[in-house]
Amino acid sequence: QVQLVESGGGLVQPGGALRLSCAASGSIFRIKTMGWYRQPPGKQRELVATITRAGGTVYADSVKGRFTISRDGAENTVYLQMNSLKPEDTAVYYCNTWPTTDRYWGQGTQVTVSS
């Protein structure tokens, strides 16, 4: 059974940085474009960034220049490096395929940006 497990969230001050990790089953990782998504409090889930098998990336305008998505094929892991964090980045962060696959949604990891 495919699983996606997110980790690395936490509480950070504005301007700080965090690195999120998403460990994925090998089969899905090798064939799929992967993405990071987030759901801010009281809002709908939104796409943050995607990365193809070849390493091509796309970012939401709100995170361009601050976030970097990457993937490690050997470890079947997708990362999201988040720099210059802002309070509006506060959300539960999830990884999934792109387009999303309903059964792959995990628990997510909470990121809180606050002083």
Side-chain angles (χ1 to χ4, degrees), residues 6-89:
E6 303 94 347
S7 63
L11 173 64
V12 63
Q13 293 186 341
L18 283 174
R19 189 192 197 201
L20 306 184
S21 299
C22 171
S25 300
S27 59
I28 182 176
F29 191 82
R30 283 190 290 270
I31 65 174
K32 293 290 188 179
T33 293
M34 300 298 295
W36 280 99
Y37 303 80
R38 68 185 181 185
Q39 186 165 17
K43 297 184 179 180
Q44 291 187 334
R45 190 151 32 195
E46 61 186 16
L47 176 65
V48 175
T50 62
I51 185 166
T52 67
R53 287 180 59 199
T57 58
V58 176
Y59 296 93
D61 287 343
S62 59
V63 307
K64 279 180 183 176
R66 300 188 298 122
F67 290 11
T68 302
I69 188 171
S70 60
R71 63 195 297 168
D72 184 328
E75 296 187 359
N76 295 337
T77 303
V78 180
Y79 301 99
L80 186 68
Q81 177 67 44
M82 306 186 296
N83 299 327
S84 302
L85 283 161
K86 304 175 181 180
E88 51 263 44
D89 295 318

